[in-house]
Amino acid sequence: MRRYAIISFTCLSTLPFAFALSNAARAAEGSEADRIIVTARGREEAEIGVPDTVTVYGPAAITARKMTTIDDFIAATPGIFIINDQDPGTNLISVRGVSTNRSQSPSIAYVVDGLALADSELFTLRTYDVARVEILKGPQGALFGRSASGGAIAVATNEPGPDWGGEAAVGIGNGFTWTADGVVNAPLSDRVQMRLAGSYRNSEGFIRNSFLDKKVDGQISRNLRLKATMALSETATFKLRASWAEEEGGAAYISSGNVTGLYGGRLAGDALTDPFGDFEGRSDRNYWGIQATYEQTFGDALSLSWTGGYDEYHKDFVEELDFRNDTPITLGGIPLFPDGIQPISQPVDILAWTSELRLTSMTDGPLRWHVGLFFQRLERDRTDDFGPLLFGAEALRAETQSNQIGVFAQASYDIAPQIELTAALRYDRDRRKEDTVGSTSGALVAQRARTFDKWQPKVSLAWRPNANLTAYVTGAVGFKAGGFNPLPGPADVWQAVFPAETTKSVEVGVKAQSSDGQVRGSIAGFVTDYSNFQNTVFLGNSVVLSVPQVDVHGLEASGDVALGAGFRVDGGIAWTHSRTGRYLTPNPTPESGEPAIVDMSGKRTPNAPDWTVNGGIGWEGAAGPALVDARLSVAYVSRVDFEIDNILHTPGYTSVDGRIGVTQGAWTFDIWAKNLFDKRWAISAFGQQQLPLLLGLGPNGPFDSFTINTGRQFGASASVKF
């Protein structure tokens, strides 16, 4: 109760200042020109009126910050954090302390053009020709369903337009990197419009393997997207989107060292060595998908929309597991692996069908609502071929099927001229089935099935004394489905099925802006009860041991001010306190004299930094006949713990990005840099105290394994509109 009181008082104490700001420059009251429009609640509305924390990036911000991947959007947003682990398809996203662990479903919904992606493997496909990105923090189950227990990311790509034209861009950067992007907008008639967009990136890489004497993180990425819009009548529209992507490059460029023993688990300074293994990891992945959308209006009162899509994805991934070159590799002092622990192969295949039907009220009256149905079928096959570690046994393949059905509704009602009550409810039912089979023989080893379901309510109360101020309180529930562990033996401590995660959160916030849009600010506090956190540990197998309770609370604030003379500053800060409750768990690496059960109570949740801070200053103005825009951005991330024992960690770090662009006529030229001062930190790690293999590895072990960041990147580009 004390947490609720402190956070509520902190937020509400800003109301007098917010009210004064919202009443400044009242002559411009009601102007929509400077309002940020979002679609987070299923309809277009001003962001300042949404009773949630929403961060929005439009075309100008995307260009100024040189955002080309989802990592860029997340890195610019306080309170959310991403780790790209081992290969391009494996990513861990945490939002306000609600964390995703390896090999598990995400804790965040990812929606592209209104269609939810079925698997986190698809999250890191290249983003290009983007119109808007919205990041919502806090449980969003009532809006987006299963896997929105932490929040949601909604990406909108550019729609076809009525005018012929396009844009072409080329770029070059360090790491012998070059890029080419292009867009062509083609209206075939008054009723049919098309848009073709493509993106290509080829990089030699930035991380050098000192033993192989070559860069090992190079990548080639090829992407195409075709969109078409057809006006079937004055009230009906049909849309089609087809996407294709192909990537190939380095993976698992992982370093090895006794960081726990020599540095107390602190991944900094001399502990951050380049990789030196004798095997080059590789990852190749292919994706294609198609989406159809039908939109129909009924007068000025109702709109009906249906969208459906199909996604197909394949990834090949090979690596080693010792990450060393001093063969033979020993385990427990025995030379079991004369050629090292390689190759290890983990291919993934995904098929997904997604569909949503939605009926929405169109009026701006006191009652605004929508109802809908959602369906998603996911087929996911993953083979774990651990090579020499199998000692001749057959590799196993997990064939997982998921059938999710969702029913949802939301209504907002103005119970008074300045007060809006919003209530939303969603029911999700996820029927999961997993067959474990021999990857070669197809022999059935295990078969499990379980249904996970949850009612997810959300209630918000918003006070808006004028169009430039909103104070609100929101309560919401989210959940993430459970899943299947390897079948336990008689002496094993894990369960065959692990339960669903649940988050229950209360948020109190204030948003304000001057009516001319030159000053904006917000503050929000939140308390989250986080149940059954799905924590992955390695007890001979990769298994989930659920943490019964995680206590989360925090504060966030952001601001944006136009200083005049073309200058603008912005910034945001998030503090998140995410700690495990009482948690006693089996010791994954018991040594002589150590207890079989260890106390992990009060630990930081993995991949969830306490502090994330972002800030920047930009300038835009004329230089003769040209328009110049420049931006300098700073980001700080506090200590990140990679595992629940809080041993392996990267200390806090700061990075600086910058860009200068010059536009004259149809041409734009820019120079840019990311991590300008070439700061180094670890982006992921596996510890010897959590992974028995690393504890017993030799010679000269034990070891920890970790991945370092790419360091400084810089380049230049030129683009032309036609």
Side-chain angles (χ1 to χ4, degrees), residues 250-455:
Y253 29 88
I254 294 175
S255 302
S256 176
N258 186 8
V259 181
T260 297
L262 297 177
Y263 303 97
R266 189 175 189 270
L267 285 157
D270 292 340
L272 293 178
T273 57
D274 288 332
F276 55 85
D278 57 6
F279 184 88
E280 183 178 2
R282 300 288 298 176
S283 176
D284 301 320
R285 57 180 187 161
N286 299 276
Y287 163 81
W288 75 271
I290 190 166
Q291 177 186 1
T293 302
Y294 176 79
E295 298 172 345
Q296 173 78 56
T297 59
F298 301 94
D300 295 328
L302 294 174
S303 70
L304 176 71
S305 66
W306 169 85
T307 186
Y310 172 77
D311 296 300
E312 186 171 317
Y313 174 90
H314 172 76
K315 180 182 75 177
D316 285 317
F317 167 57
V318 293
E319 63 169 339
E320 64 175 340
L321 283 185
D322 57 276
F323 310 113
R324 308 188 64 78
N325 58 64
D326 44 355
T327 54
I329 297 296
T330 63
L331 188 61
I334 303 172
L336 295 177
F337 311 107
D339 299 317
I341 308 176
Q342 57 175 268
I344 306 300
S345 176
Q346 294 177 304
V348 174
D349 287 283
I350 294 171
L351 302 177
W353 297 260
T354 307
S355 184
E356 182 178 284
L357 180 68
R358 185 185 295 247
L359 184 65
T360 305
S361 68
M362 296 175 59
T363 63
D364 292 326
L367 178 63
R368 301 163 299 279
W369 56 268
H370 69 251
V371 296
L373 301 171
F374 177 86
F375 171 78
Q376 188 171 77
R377 177 178 174 84
L378 170 66
E379 296 180 2
R380 189 183 201 272
D381 295 349
R382 170 175 166 153
T383 300
D384 289 321
D385 185 349
F386 292 112
L389 289 176
L390 296 176
F391 298 102
E394 184 180 20
L396 299 179
R397 181 173 67 250
E399 300 176 346
T400 306
Q401 294 181 5
S402 168
N403 289 287
Q404 179 192 354
I405 298 174
V407 182
F408 57 91
Q410 176 178 283
S412 297
Y413 183 69
D414 299 329
I415 59 177
Q418 298 178 345
I419 300 177
E420 177 197 72
L421 175 66
T422 299
L425 183 64
R426 177 164 176 148
Y427 173 75
D428 278 302
R429 181 179 183 272
D430 187 2
R431 174 68 174 172
R432 293 199 164 193
K433 174 178 177 290
E434 183 174 284
D435 294 344
T436 303
V437 301
S439 60
T440 302
S441 68
L444 183 65
V445 176
Q447 190 173 54
R448 279 85 56 80
R450 182 64 61 91
T451 297
F452 303 93
D453 65 335
K454 186 75 175 177
W455 288 96

Side-chain angles (χ1 to χ4, degrees), residues 77 111 195 245 268 298 311 342 368 393 485 502 513 600 615 619 660 674 690:
T77 309
V111 180
R195 186 179 185 90
F298 301 94
D311 296 300
Q342 57 175 268
R368 301 163 299 279
N485 280 320
T502 302
Q513 66 177 25
M600 294 291 178
W619 178 79
I660 300 175
K674 295 183 179 182
Q690 289 291 302

Side-chain angles (χ1 to χ4, degrees), residues 3 29 38 120 131 155 185 270 348 403 419 446 473 505 556 588 658 673 692 697-698 722:
R3 295 180 298 165
E29 178 76 50
V38 298
S120 61
V155 178
N185 196 80
D270 292 340
V348 174
N403 289 287
I419 300 177
V473 57
S505 181
E556 295 182 3
L697 206 62
F722 54 88

Side-chain angles (χ1 to χ4, degrees), residues 407-682:
V407 182
F408 57 91
Q410 176 178 283
S412 297
Y413 183 69
D414 299 329
I415 59 177
Q418 298 178 345
I419 300 177
E420 177 197 72
L421 175 66
T422 299
L425 183 64
R426 177 164 176 148
Y427 173 75
D428 278 302
R429 181 179 183 272
D430 187 2
R431 174 68 174 172
R432 293 199 164 193
K433 174 178 177 290
E434 183 174 284
D435 294 344
T436 303
V437 301
S439 60
T440 302
S441 68
L444 183 65
V445 176
Q447 190 173 54
R448 279 85 56 80
R450 182 64 61 91
T451 297
F452 303 93
D453 65 335
K454 186 75 175 177
W455 288 96
Q456 300 161 88
K458 183 177 184 180
V459 179
S460 301
L461 188 66
W463 174 59
R464 304 188 188 96
N466 58 58
N468 301 306
L469 172 63
T470 298
Y472 65 90
V473 57
T474 296
V477 173
F479 101 111
K480 182 173 76 172
F484 307 105
N485 280 320
L487 282 178
D492 291 325
V493 297
W494 65 85
Q495 301 297 314
V497 180
F498 54 87
E501 284 185 359
T502 302
T503 54
K504 299 177 181 178
S505 181
V506 174
E507 176 177 336
V508 178
V510 178
K511 301 179 181 182
Q513 66 177 25
S514 61
S515 51
D516 59 3
Q518 298 304 294
V519 181
R520 298 186 178 98
S522 67
I523 185 170
F526 56 91
V527 176
T528 303
D529 290 326
Y530 185 9
S531 303
N532 294 324
F533 164 51
Q534 296 167 3
N535 182 54
T536 301
V537 296
F538 299 91
L539 301 175
N541 289 290
S542 174
V543 301
V544 169
L545 296 180
S546 295
V547 180
Q549 186 68 32
V550 177
D551 298 316
V552 183
H553 57 274
L555 289 167
E556 295 182 3
S558 64
D560 185 349
V561 181
L563 301 177
F567 287 94
R568 192 169 198 111
V569 295
D570 59 79
I573 183 170
W575 168 67
T576 303
H577 183 87
S578 179
R579 301 293 188 271
T580 59
R582 178 168 172 77
Y583 179 47
L584 303 179
T585 184
N587 187 343
T589 56
E591 297 182 82
S592 178
E594 292 186 348
I597 301 295
V598 291
D599 188 352
M600 294 291 178
S601 306
K603 297 293 186 179
R604 296 179 179 89
T605 51
N607 313 317
D610 285 358
W611 293 92
T612 49
V613 185
N614 299 83
I617 182 169
W619 178 79
E620 184 176 310
L627 178 66
V628 178
D629 65 283
R631 179 178 174 84
L632 193 68
S633 303
V634 180
Y636 170 76
V637 176
S638 68
R639 168 175 170 153
V640 179
D641 290 277
F642 296 112
E643 294 168 317
I644 204 164
D645 60 6
N646 290 181
I647 295 176
L648 276 187
H649 67 278
T650 187
Y653 57 88
T654 302
S655 61
V656 177
D657 300 344
R659 176 187 172 273
I660 300 175
V662 179
T663 300
Q664 184 169 1
W667 288 88
T668 297
F669 303 89
D670 71 358
I671 57 174
W672 57 271
K674 295 183 179 182
N675 190 10
L676 182 62
F677 297 106
D678 199 24
K679 299 294 184 180
R680 306 308 296 267
W681 59 84

